[in-house]
Amino acid sequence: MPHNAINEESLFFIRIEKLSKGPAVTCTPDQDAVEVTRIMQEHDSTGLIVVEDGLPVGTFTIRDLRKLISDTGGAIIGRKIRDIMGRGLITVRLHDYVYDAIFKMAMHNIHRLGVVNEEGKLVGVLTDTDLLRIQTRTPLYLLQKIEAAESIDQLKKISRQIMDVVTFASQAGADIISLVQLISQFNDAVTHRLISLLESIEGIALPEGAAYLALGSEGRSEQTLRTDQDSAIVYRDDLTEERLREVERFAIRIADALDEIGVPRCPGNSMASNPEWRHSLSEWKQILDQWMTIPSSENMVKFGMFQDLRALHGDKTLEKELHDQILAEAAHNSIFLFNIARNVCRFPPPLG
């Protein structure tokens, strides 16, 4: 399986051992039918696997029980499972792939498979419900759920499932780069849906001529799990006072809403809700010039976060203008790269 692919198909190459429930609920061929129905009732099970000397030899299901009652007129006391069980149990091995199980269930029109080890002994059971859970733990399914969320509370509950899907993708063989990109994709989707909900439910929106910027690891699309909020807002110089009030209202509300659904605030308050991270395009250019020419520790830290900016929502052209400003300033500032390198050296790599 390609390690850089996280999709529906790749998840079908998960080994059965990742999904199999064990130990299975079983009975022996010589048990009484009434006794076995009590076991089924106790475990809320619609069927058991019949095991003899550790090996699966058949099944006894609700369908078999209905047929027994019909054939005997309800006289099932004393009837042994050996005489009424279904034979020829279909099995899969622990190291088989999920697609093997899907094929066997479809081919034999059955709802459960016995899972056996290399010696053929029963170690678990796999049901069609277990396979259905794969669909609900794929990236596409979760993205669809995020897009369909109709309230902030619903979005909060859905966002908690991100870790489950990432864990499942990891088990499917996805590499670290793919997982990090997947997390960023989920977090972007949550933020986009949150912005839509704020507009449709509360009437709060970022006006035209402004952009909501993701900074730091989120700006690079390199998030590991759920990081805190690092954001800013840039807007055109000709925005009216009314539009500026809309920008402020949006910035404050988006920070509150993200915190509400589980994205914590930045401890250093590097967020769009802070007026220091909310400026016009010309103001941001002046600030960038100051950060890049005055190499104080504080300026380097702020620039290091801001340089990875990405317009998550709004006017994308503002992102390009800011990037162009950074490149132009770096090109004619001879000591800029030296200062950046010196700042990087303040953080030694975590190697032993």
Side-chain angles (χ1 to χ4, degrees):
M1 182 189 69
H3 287 289
N4 60 352
I6 307 175
N7 50 42
E8 314 296 320
E9 291 78 15
S10 66
L11 295 178
F12 291 129
F13 285 84
I14 293 176
R15 302 284 183 179
I16 297 298
E17 60 187 334
K18 298 292 185 181
L19 301 179
S20 173
K21 295 184 298 186
V25 181
T26 64
C27 64
T28 66
D30 294 319
Q31 284 183 278
D32 181 271
V34 174
E35 179 185 358
V36 171
T37 57
R38 290 197 185 103
I39 296 175
M40 293 170 66
Q41 176 68 22
E42 178 183 348
H43 292 275
D44 191 25
S45 173
T46 59
L48 305 180
I49 295 179
V50 185
V51 175
E52 189 170 27
D53 297 327
L55 301 175
V57 294
T59 60
F60 182 71
T61 67
I62 289 292
R63 181 181 300 177
D64 298 320
L65 180 60
R66 288 201 308 262
K67 186 176 185 302
L68 176 62
I69 293 173
S70 175
D71 292 346
T72 64
I76 66 173
I77 296 176
R79 299 298 300 267
K80 300 297 182 182
I81 294 299
R82 184 185 302 278
D83 301 324
I84 54 181
M85 69 182 185
R87 299 181 183 275
L89 174 68
I90 308 299
T91 63
V92 288
R93 295 185 181 274
L94 279 171
H95 295 299
D96 287 345
Y97 291 112
V98 164
Y99 73 81
D100 292 315
I102 295 173
F103 175 78
K104 287 184 177 181
M105 284 188 182
M107 177 66 68
H108 298 282
N109 192 27
I110 54 179
H111 303 286
R112 63 173 52 80
L113 297 168
V115 180
V116 297
N117 60 20
E118 295 304 317
E119 289 76 41
K121 293 191 175 183
L122 186 72
V123 293
V125 63
L126 186 72
T127 68
D128 52 1
T129 302
D130 299 323
L131 296 178
L132 183 61
R133 290 196 186 100
I134 294 178
Q135 182 67 26
T136 64
R137 295 165 75 182
T138 58
L140 180 59
Y141 180 85
L142 184 57
L143 287 171
Q144 290 173 335
K145 285 189 69 176
I146 291 171
E147 292 173 3
E150 297 181 350
S151 68
I152 294 176
D153 185 61
Q154 193 177 92
L155 191 60
K156 177 181 179 180
K157 294 176 181 177
I158 295 171
S159 67
R160 292 172 181 165
Q161 301 173 29
I162 291 176
M163 187 58 192
D164 291 337
V165 176
V166 171
T167 300
F168 201 56
S170 176
Q171 293 172 346
D175 60 24
I176 295 299
I177 293 176
S178 297
L179 292 175
V180 167
Q181 293 173 344
L182 180 63
I183 293 167
S184 295
Q185 185 180 11
F186 283 143
N187 291 341
D188 281 1
V190 168
T191 304
H192 283 137
R193 186 55 188 159
L194 181 60
I195 290 171
S196 296
L197 290 172
L198 291 178
E199 182 172 5
S200 61
I201 297 174
E202 302 180 16
I204 296 176
L206 191 66
E208 291 185 10
Y212 177 71
L213 307 176
L215 310 178
S217 60
E218 186 176 5
R220 296 190 303 272
S221 297
E222 292 180 355
Q223 288 181 290
T224 54
L225 305 183
R226 177 58 58 79
T227 54
D228 55 22
Q229 297 181 44
D230 293 318
S231 63
I233 285 180
V234 57
Y235 49 83
R236 294 289 174 190
D237 290 279
D238 58 357
L239 247 59
T240 64
E241 288 298 324
E242 180 182 355
R243 291 290 180 262
L244 290 176
R245 285 193 292 271
E246 291 178 11
V247 169
E248 181 181 13
R249 187 181 178 208
F250 172 87
I252 293 173
R253 185 65 186 104
I254 190 69
D256 289 341
L258 284 169
D259 187 51
E260 184 179 340
I261 66 173
V263 186
R265 296 174 180 275
C266 173
N269 203 21
S270 301
M271 303 183 297
S273 55
N274 180 353
E276 293 184 12
W277 292 87
R278 195 171 65 240
H279 297 287
S280 69
L281 180 61
S282 62
E283 289 171 341
W284 272 122
K285 288 182 176 181
Q286 292 174 7
I287 292 170
L288 284 169
D289 180 70
Q290 181 180 12
W291 285 347
M292 297 175 74
T293 55
I294 303 176
S296 68
S297 297
E298 182 181 359
N299 284 350
M300 287 295 97
V301 169
K302 288 181 177 179
F303 175 79
M305 182 187 301
F306 192 84
Q307 68 174 335
D308 295 314
L309 67 97
R310 177 167 58 95
L312 198 56
H313 174 68
D315 190 343
K316 304 287 185 180
T317 63
L318 294 170
E319 172 191 329
K320 183 179 185 306
E321 293 200 43
L322 289 172
H323 277 145
D324 289 345
Q325 173 71 14
I326 292 172
L327 292 174
E329 183 66 31
H332 75 261
N333 188 333
S334 59
I335 65 169
F336 170 70
L337 292 180
F338 169 79
N339 291 327
I340 285 291
R342 185 172 63 177
N343 184 61
V344 169
C345 290
R346 295 171 55 217
F347 304 96
L351 301 177

